[in-house]
Amino acid sequence: MSVVTVQLGQCGNQVGHELFDVVCGDAHDGQRRSYCSVSRERFFHQTERGDLVARAVLIDMEPKVIKHSMNKAANSGRWTYGDDAHFSQKQGSGNNWANGFCVHGPRHEAALEELVRRQVERCDRLSGLMAMMSVAGGTGSGVGTYVTQCLRDTFPKSFIVNQLTWPYGTGEVIVQNYNSVLTLAHLYGLSDAILVHENDTVHGICARLLNLKHISFGDVNRVIAHQLGAVLQPALTTDSHGLYSRNPLGELASALVCHPEYKLLSMSTVPQMPSASIAYSTFSWPGPLRHLRQMLVSNSKMEEGIDWQVRLPAASERSRSLTGGGRGGGRGGGGAAAAAIFNRSLANLLILRGKDVYSAETGGFEDPALFTSWLSPRDAFSLWKSPVPFNKYEKSATLVSNSQALLRPLDDMVRKAWNMFASRAYIHQYVKFGISEEDFLDSFTSLEQVISSYSQLS
Amino acid sequence: MRHSKVGQCGNQVGCRFWDLALREHAHVNKTGVYDDALSSFFRNVDSRKSDGGACGFGGRIQHLKARAVLVDMEEGVVNEILQGPLSEVFDSTQLLTDVSGSGNNWAVGHMSYGSVYREQIVDKLRKAAEHCDCLQCFFLIHSMGGGTGSGLGTRVLSLLEEEFPEVCRIVTSVYPSPEDDVITSPYNSVLAMKELSEHADCVIPVENQSLVDIVNKIKHMSDGGKPGLTIRKDSSIISGQGGLRGAEKPFDAMNNIVANLLLNITSSARFEGSLNMDLNEIAMNLVPFPRLHYLVPSLTPLYTLADVSVPTRRLDQMFSDAFSKDHQLLRANPKHSLYLACALMVRGNVQVSDLRRNIERLRPSLPFVSWNQEGWKTGLCSVPPVGHSHSLLALANNTCVKSTFLDLKERFTKLYRKKAHLHHYLHVEGMEQSCFSEAITSLSSLIEEYHHLDATKGKLIPDAPRLSIAR
């Protein structure tokens, strides 16, 4: 079953392009026929001549990025974007969410819906839609939110997942926090699952794990694409009965989003190393899995500098929240502090790819202490496997989590936006296009609710 | 994009701009195909066609016509342009001239010519706009101190707002130095300021004195600052080398700097990059409150050394330079005032990690307003300017512009107190004493707004109390 990807704005189109590149290359290496054919069917439409055309719609309010992405794909010789699959304008959205959501979105609604419909109709069976965008700018965030709304109206029964790139904390766009708040608040009511990548985190991976001295946006985008590919490439799931699952987005959403108040998903992949080192490395399961588990527990964003001091709380301390204090003492100083920064999960999905995948020991991820008490660990933890090595890594493990991992970044984003809002700076720019102070307050309220919900997990 | 050049200064700067723009595009576009980048500034016209000749993308370049309107109330400057090598780039429908000039009198420019030529101006603007698939922005270039650029220029500005309210208006204004030889320049400037505050989306003020300083610095460097170090001729921001025009004229060097400023601002809208920065985005991110839209520009590098064996100045130095007073086009002191917002437009082979590293390095020494501690807007354009491997344009919304305005106010008051030359203005129909008092009030309240923000500097402002959710 196929996934139709909607690439929005500069970031969405750049990352989307890298994703198609990764999955095409991964299924290219002549291995495992059924893996390749499922992957191809999922992401590409095959023409009569056997050419692969991405199941994607490219949307931007200015033409340069789409043009660049389409040319790059065409020059790769392995796959292309459809000639009729893109939409662009000339003037951009000016980094203004209101311009994207209130003006461009509605103005071009018919044309955009038509493009998506065309892609959907080419699929034998639609597994779901994935919208890729950043939250900092104007098109990805504003038009992206509007398009998601349209998709929800047009395909009420389909799974819609949003892949969001959060900007560097120290500013790419001055009004990025406003745009982010407005996007997240609106998407929360529309999306089935929100997959988040943070530029700061990915940048760290490039610097410290991939040893890149000069990091470009291309490097950042390729890491994001690698992680997404690791999630979306074919896998055997508990429901797929020995065959590759046909419903990756649906199974992802069902596995991780058990309650509409909790939709924010983060992901980590191990190992990540410079591509030149891969050939010289030996891979085993126990080490990386141990690291991945501790990364989850301690909320470490990468496989380096993991804080091993953080331990799961003992049963008596399980009512502590991540941000709340709580009384110390009892189990000794270390224990109380550790419990205070332990990252509690609602649900986790572990995806293993590569050799000897059936011998990997994953019991540690089913520990009830990792999770809130609402679901049994059987329900809170899901495991997907594929015996096919992914993207040249002989063995790799990816963890997609619905946990408190994004709580601090979200809180920071809301705090900065709120401080700016308190002075009413830039508000006139949004009002000009149809977003009022009331709309801002509604969005702030929604997100404070989300923050509160995640903080209070027990 | 549409350029309106008004008055002598505006047209002379504009002329340098078109020359350098052609040079830049010729450098990049080797195939002679009329592409997206070119079309942002130029139309492609085949004059053999009977329907007006407009050619779309992808075809060969026939005749490039600048998307511009040139206005002057005397003919000398515009005629010179039409007789020079750039004559092909403009046609008569784009020009508006008169013969008598404005006598350095804002009222003559704004009121008299403003009324007489209102319809013609609107007509020419409309025609020019019709040639555009999508009009993103108007650039207005003028000086503040004279009569046409200042008076008629600001009249054109308000016409632009009336006729095209949705289109962004970015104004490059050349402010007079204290030693300016036009006695009434303070009057003209203050009267124009009111218009700029009310009708422009963004104003980029440039001071003649800063341009002079930069020119002198470069000349000193190339005239044998250090033995053995020569500057690559086409690389300095004062050089017109490689453009169409041959011998340099007076003011050319200074005007080239402003022309380069405009090229850099628009680079990301014309060429590709990994993080595009459009003109609309500049206006959005740098203007937190409607009237506080005056942006301090800095350009670096000023030149590239010709000797390739001398190691190129480290990339990081370029970022430091952007925040040094030597590279500013306005004589104000941002580091001692408050940044409300700052944009960095980087061109060339620079990656996001270089950008991040330098922002982190410079940030601690730059005072930002409390509600915009990370107030950076950044852009990465892959195509560097001619003669450089990389360049940086910084636009800062900083309260230091207050000092420029205070200066202006003082010079105005000196004259106004004695009612010097006032009658020249009041004789003009439509002009009254109240125009003066309103203009100075507008300027004073603008200064007051900056002052108010300055007062928050250094104070520890706590986070605003958050909404609390009932559970």
Side-chain angles (χ1 to χ4, degrees):
Chain A
M1 274 163 59
S2 312
V3 171
V4 170
T5 300
V6 183
Q7 302 177 181
L8 295 137
Q10 174 162 27
C11 175
N13 278 293
Q14 286 176 182
V15 177
H17 173 269
E18 298 292 349
L19 175 62
F20 282 103
D21 231 25
V22 160
V23 298
C24 182
D26 180 49
H28 192 68
D29 303 330
Q31 50 180 351
R32 314 292 183 111
R33 290 185 120 220
S34 73
Y35 179 85
C36 292
S37 100
V38 171
S39 167
R40 290 222 173 112
E41 178 62 26
R42 182 165 296 175
F43 292 107
F44 299 95
H45 162 73
Q46 216 155 0
T47 64
E48 276 144 21
R49 290 190 321 178
D51 295 329
L52 294 176
V53 179
R55 298 190 191 277
V57 176
L58 297 81
I59 300 174
D60 203 354
M61 292 301 113
E62 62 108 347
K64 297 195 295 291
V65 179
I66 288 185
K67 201 153 161 227
H68 187 75
S69 293
M70 289 184 70
N71 284 342
K72 254 179 104 176
N75 292 338
S76 74
R78 295 180 305 169
W79 64 279
T80 59
Y81 282 109
D83 288 325
D84 60 349
H86 64 275
F87 179 90
S88 62
Q89 291 290 281
K90 295 274 183 95
Q91 72 271 58
S93 301
N95 285 165
N96 190 322
W97 191 92
N99 194 3
F101 187 82
C102 304
V103 178
H104 288 307
R107 189 178 286 169
H108 306 299
E109 183 173 341
L112 298 176
E113 273 183 3
E114 177 55 32
L115 284 183
V116 176
R117 196 184 300 274
R118 215 178 280 161
Q119 289 302 318
V120 168
E121 274 161 19
R122 278 199 198 122
C123 305
D124 278 340
R125 294 191 69 185
L126 179 69
S127 151
L129 300 143
M130 181 167 70
M132 302 180 68
M133 59 222 235
S134 74
V135 293
T139 299
S141 72
V143 177
T145 304
Y146 191 83
V147 166
T148 306
Q149 195 172 274
C150 294
L151 293 178
R152 181 50 75 205
D153 290 335
T154 315
F155 305 98
K157 302 264 174 54
S158 296
F159 286 101
I160 297 176
V161 168
N162 289 78
Q163 185 275 329
L164 304 182
T165 301
W166 287 12
Y168 289 97
T170 57
E172 298 170 28
V173 168
I174 296 177
V175 291
Q176 62 189 40
N177 296 310
Y178 280 163
N179 293 334
S180 306
V181 164
L182 291 163
T183 305
L184 285 169
H186 281 79
L187 283 183
Y188 230 77
L190 299 167
S191 185
D192 289 310
I194 302 178
L195 288 163
V196 176
H197 283 95
E198 298 168 78
N199 270 350
D200 281 304
T201 303
V202 178
H203 190 104
I205 291 173
C206 289
R208 288 152 69 183
L209 296 180
L210 303 184
N211 285 336
L212 295 171
K213 286 274 161 15
H214 300 286
I215 300 167
S216 66
F217 270 113
D219 298 318
V220 171
N221 297 339
R222 276 183 284 278
V223 170
I224 297 177
H226 175 84
Q227 294 193 343
L228 284 172
V231 174
L232 296 173
Q233 282 289 59
L236 306 163
T237 69
T238 32
D239 292 342
S240 67
H241 308 299
L243 297 170
Y244 288 115
S245 160
R246 298 288 171 164
N247 189 10
L249 295 185
E251 294 202 43
L252 180 88
S254 328
L256 294 169
V257 181
C258 51
H259 186 294
E261 190 67 2
Y262 303 89
K263 286 185 180 169
L264 294 175
L265 309 179
S266 59
M267 63 176 76
S268 311
T269 303
V270 297
Q272 298 230 231
M273 60 180 69
S275 45
S277 312
I278 298 178
Y280 301 103
S281 307
T282 47
F283 295 84
S284 66
W285 288 115
L289 285 176
R290 223 183 7 254
H291 288 181
L292 203 50
R293 184 178 181 279
Q294 188 60 21
M295 282 161 69
L296 171 67
V297 165
S298 65
N299 196 20
S300 303
K301 308 282 185 152
M302 70 182 91
E303 196 186 4
E304 204 219 63
I306 300 175
D307 187 348
W308 291 94
Q309 295 299 320
V310 181
R311 277 168 276 122
L312 294 179
S316 60
E317 293 166 332
R318 292 195 67 207
S319 56
R320 295 252 171 82
S321 71
L322 185 67
T323 55
R327 282 175 307 246
R331 306 281 295 174
I341 58 172
F342 151 67
N343 175 32
R344 197 177 292 280
S345 303
L346 277 133
N348 282 299
L349 165 63
L350 180 65
I351 305 168
L352 304 178
R353 298 182 180 277
K355 274 180 73 178
D356 305 327
V357 82
Y358 299 103
S359 66
E361 180 50 61
T362 59
F365 287 93
E366 295 180 58
D367 187 342
L370 286 170
F371 298 97
T372 65
S373 48
W374 313 340
L375 298 170
S376 69
R378 310 230 74 191
D379 294 328
F381 174 69
S382 309
L383 179 63
W384 296 359
K385 294 179 182 167
S386 158
V388 178
F390 170 68
N391 206 18
K392 309 202 175 22
Y393 284 85
E394 187 193 281
K395 298 183 173 79
S396 67
T398 303
L399 189 68
V400 188
S401 301
N402 190 341
S403 72
Q404 295 172 312
L406 291 167
L407 181 52
R408 163 78 20 94
L410 178 62
D411 189 69
D412 279 346
M413 177 190 284
V414 172
R415 175 176 53 83
K416 290 179 198 172
W418 186 247
N419 279 336
M420 195 177 266
F421 185 71
S423 69
R424 293 299 186 272
Y426 300 101
I427 298 299
H428 72 284
Q429 307 266 19
Y430 290 85
V431 169
K432 200 159 67 175
F433 289 103
I435 292 290
S436 67
E437 288 190 18
E438 280 303 302
D439 295 318
F440 270 96
L441 284 171
D442 286 342
S443 294
F444 278 115
T445 309
S446 302
L447 291 188
E448 293 285 10
Q449 183 73 59
V450 172
I451 291 171
S452 170
S453 302
Y454 272 102
S455 302
Q456 311 258 344
L457 283 183
S458 62
Chain B
M1 261 155 277
R2 275 253 135 249
H3 285 248
S4 299
K5 281 159 268 306
V6 188
Q8 174 175 13
C9 169
N11 281 299
Q12 286 177 334
V13 171
C15 182
R16 296 314 314 133
F17 169 78
W18 291 110
D19 197 12
L20 290 178
L22 284 169
R23 181 179 81 160
E24 187 169 89
H25 280 274
H27 195 78
V28 173
N29 182 341
K30 302 289 186 203
T31 59
V33 167
Y34 177 64
D35 60 9
D36 266 325
L38 270 172
S39 86
S40 63
F41 280 142
F42 298 95
R43 291 184 292 139
N44 188 19
V45 171
D46 185 347
S47 35
R48 295 166 300 179
K49 284 197 197 166
S50 54
D51 61 349
C55 305
F57 296 141
R60 305 273 328 149
I61 295 174
Q62 307 282 1
H63 263 118
L64 292 176
K65 295 279 180 205
R67 298 188 190 275
V69 174
L70 287 67
V71 178
D72 203 352
M73 292 298 98
E74 44 172 31
E75 297 176 310
V77 176
V78 172
N79 278 346
E80 219 186 286
I81 295 175
L82 290 181
Q83 279 152 23
L86 284 176
S87 59
E88 294 291 302
V89 165
F90 305 107
D91 68 43
S92 57
T93 57
Q94 299 171 256
L95 313 174
L96 181 69
T97 56
D98 199 309
V99 288
S100 352
S102 304
N104 285 324
N105 187 325
W106 185 91
V108 172
H110 194 88
M111 305 292 189
S112 311
Y113 287 126
S115 325
V116 166
Y117 285 112
R118 188 188 190 289
E119 264 183 58
Q120 273 194 58
I121 293 172
V122 172
D123 193 54
K124 286 182 194 292
L125 291 172
R126 286 221 154 275
K127 284 225 168 61
E130 270 156 32
H131 287 304
C132 302
D133 279 337
C134 170
L135 186 52
Q136 194 189 87
C137 167
F138 282 108
F139 266 112
L140 185 76
I141 308 172
H142 72 146
S143 71
M144 299 284 278
T148 301
S150 180
L152 185 54
T154 49
R155 189 58 183 259
V156 170
L157 180 62
S158 55
L159 287 174
L160 287 174
E161 188 178 30
E162 234 177 271
E163 299 290 319
F164 308 93
E166 313 282 297
V167 181
C168 189
R169 294 170 295 283
I170 300 186
V171 184
T172 304
S173 306
V174 180
Y175 280 64
S177 315
E179 307 81 29
D180 195 70
D181 53 5
V182 175
I183 302 182
T184 48
S185 65
Y187 283 161
N188 297 331
S189 303
V190 171
L191 289 162
M193 274 292 296
K194 173 168 178 289
E195 304 295 311
L196 291 182
S197 293
E198 285 173 23
H199 302 296
D201 289 307
C202 266
V203 177
I204 304 175
V206 169
E207 264 181 290
N208 265 343
Q209 191 55 51
S210 301
L211 299 178
V212 167
D213 291 343
I214 290 176
V215 169
N216 288 335
K217 185 165 186 264
I218 295 177
K219 291 239 159 97
H220 176 75
M221 185 64 209
S222 59
D223 289 344
K226 293 182 185 153
L229 285 182
T230 45
I231 295 181
R232 258 186 71 168
K233 270 288 152 30
D234 63 350
S235 74
S236 94
I237 62 168
I238 65 173
S239 140
Q241 187 118 357
L244 289 173
R245 219 171 45 190
E248 290 199 348
K249 302 240 160 115
F251 284 112
D252 263 3
M254 291 163 63
N255 292 338
N256 280 333
I257 300 175
V258 184
N260 274 304
L261 165 70
L262 293 171
L263 281 178
N264 282 329
I265 289 184
T266 55
S267 58
S268 189
R270 294 176 288 133
F271 302 117
E272 62 173 24
S274 61
L275 190 59
N276 294 338
M277 183 157 93
D278 239 330
L279 294 158
N280 294 331
E281 293 172 20
I282 293 175
M284 169 66 171
N285 283 284
L286 293 179
V287 183
F289 302 104
R291 279 157 53 92
L292 304 186
H293 57 237
Y294 294 87
L295 311 177
V296 180
S298 307
L299 274 177
T300 145
L302 301 177
Y303 52 78
T304 301
L305 294 175
D307 185 353
V308 293
S309 68
V310 174
T312 32
R313 299 182 99 192
R314 282 170 49 232
L315 191 58
D316 290 12
Q317 184 63 47
M318 181 176 78
F319 283 88
S320 302
D321 285 343
F323 290 92
S324 110
K325 293 180 67 189
D326 288 343
H327 293 256
Q328 266 168 228
L329 306 190
L330 193 69
R331 282 179 313 163
N333 205 342
K335 287 194 182 172
H336 293 174
S337 302
L338 205 56
Y339 281 88
L340 304 181
C342 188
L344 297 174
M345 179 70 244
V346 186
R347 297 180 67 173
N349 186 16
V350 182
Q351 303 304 342
V352 65
S353 53
D354 301 311
L355 195 51
R356 306 235 57 77
R357 179 179 69 247
N358 279 287
I359 289 178
E360 258 150 67
R361 184 173 63 86
L362 293 167
R363 173 66 186 87
S365 64
L366 304 171
F368 271 79
V369 73
S370 69
W371 41 258
N372 206 2
Q373 290 286 298
E374 283 92 22
W376 299 94
K377 165 65 181 163
T378 55
L380 292 166
C381 172
S382 318
V383 177
V386 174
H388 296 277
S389 55
H390 36 70
S391 75
L392 175 61
L393 164 70
L395 289 172
N397 191 338
N398 187 301
T399 56
C400 67
V401 291
K402 183 178 81 174
S403 62
T404 310
F405 301 152
L406 277 167
D407 248 4
L408 206 53
K409 183 175 167 185
E410 209 184 290
R411 282 185 263 153
F412 175 96
T413 312
K414 253 197 189 139
L415 288 176
Y416 193 59
R417 216 169 23 212
K418 296 180 287 187
K419 305 223 187 295
H421 305 281
L422 217 48
H423 54 286
H424 292 305
Y425 290 77
L426 298 177
H427 274 159
V428 175
E429 191 178 317
M431 194 69 185
E432 291 167 13
Q433 188 108 11
S434 59
C435 297
F436 280 86
S437 49
E438 277 166 24
I440 198 67
T441 305
S442 165
L443 185 59
S444 299
S445 79
L446 182 67
I447 293 171
E448 190 52 38
E449 280 185 65
Y450 281 111
H451 192 69
H452 194 67
L453 283 162
D454 261 341
T456 65
K457 186 178 170 195
K459 295 216 182 101
L460 200 59
I461 315 270
D463 283 342
R466 300 268 289 271
L467 298 173
S468 53
I469 303 295
R471 233 359 194 158

